């Protein structure tokens, strides 16, 4: 099994930056797709960014050009660099690991979530 622990959430001003980290423990981390999903009150959980074992990335249209996902297989960690943050980015962010594909419907592994609040 894989266990995921997120960190790096907090309060940031609009236009600011924040980096989220997700540390994984377990087996075959380097063979799992990794991703970040977010959920705001009254909103559906949505996929924000994903990265394949080979390093191919994909982003939601709302964050393209502002967020960057990366992975460090040697340290079993995935990151989400968040720049030019907007109030609309406020949500709980969840790390997701799946051997086939990440997203809101994944039945594999999830972190506990970390709160990101963008406000002046």
């Amino acid at each position: 099994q894989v266990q995921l622990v997120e960190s790096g959430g907090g309060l940031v001003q609009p236009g600011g930056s924040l980096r989220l980290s997700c540390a994984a423990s377990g087996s075959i981390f380097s063979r799992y797709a990794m991703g970040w999903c977010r959920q705001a009150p009254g909103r559906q959980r949505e996929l924000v960014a994903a990265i394949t074992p080979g390093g191919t990335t994909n982003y939601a249209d709302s964050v393209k050009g502002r967020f960057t996902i990366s992975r460090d297989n040697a340290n079993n960690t995935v990151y989400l660099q968040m720049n030019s943050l907007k109030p609309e980015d406020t949500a709980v962010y969840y790390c997701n690991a799946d051997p086939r594909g990440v997203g809101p419907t994944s039945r594999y592994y999830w972190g506990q979530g970390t709160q990101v609040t963008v406000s002046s």
Side-chain angles (χ1 to χ4, degrees):
Q1 66 176 46
V2 176
Q3 297 182 72
L4 308 173
V5 180
E6 301 111 328
S7 62
L11 175 65
V12 65
Q13 295 182 343
S17 298
L18 204 62
R19 189 181 74 161
L20 305 183
S21 299
C22 175
S25 62
S27 61
I28 60 173
F29 172 82
S30 64
R31 295 185 180 273
Y32 278 65
M34 302 293 298
W36 291 92
C37 294
R38 68 185 181 187
Q39 187 166 25
R43 308 277 291 186
Q44 291 186 324
R45 185 173 297 190
E46 63 175 343
L47 177 66
V48 175
I51 185 167
T52 69
T56 300
T57 59
N58 192 33
Y59 300 92
D61 288 341
S62 60
V63 306
K64 286 181 179 177
R66 300 189 297 120
F67 291 10
T68 302
I69 188 171
S70 61
R71 64 191 298 159
D72 182 350
N73 290 338
N75 292 302
N76 293 348
T77 304
V78 62
Y79 303 96
L80 185 67
Q81 179 65 46
M82 310 164 69
N83 298 327
S84 301
L85 283 162
K86 304 175 181 179
E88 303 89 87
D89 296 317
T90 296
V92 177
Y93 285 70
Y94 298 91
C95 184
N96 177 217
D98 194 306
R100 297 184 63 83
V102 296
T105 61
S106 173
R107 295 185 179 182
Y108 280 83
Y109 306 107
W110 293 88
Q112 80 288 348
T114 185
Q115 177 71 46
V116 172
T117 302
V118 184
S119 177
S120 60

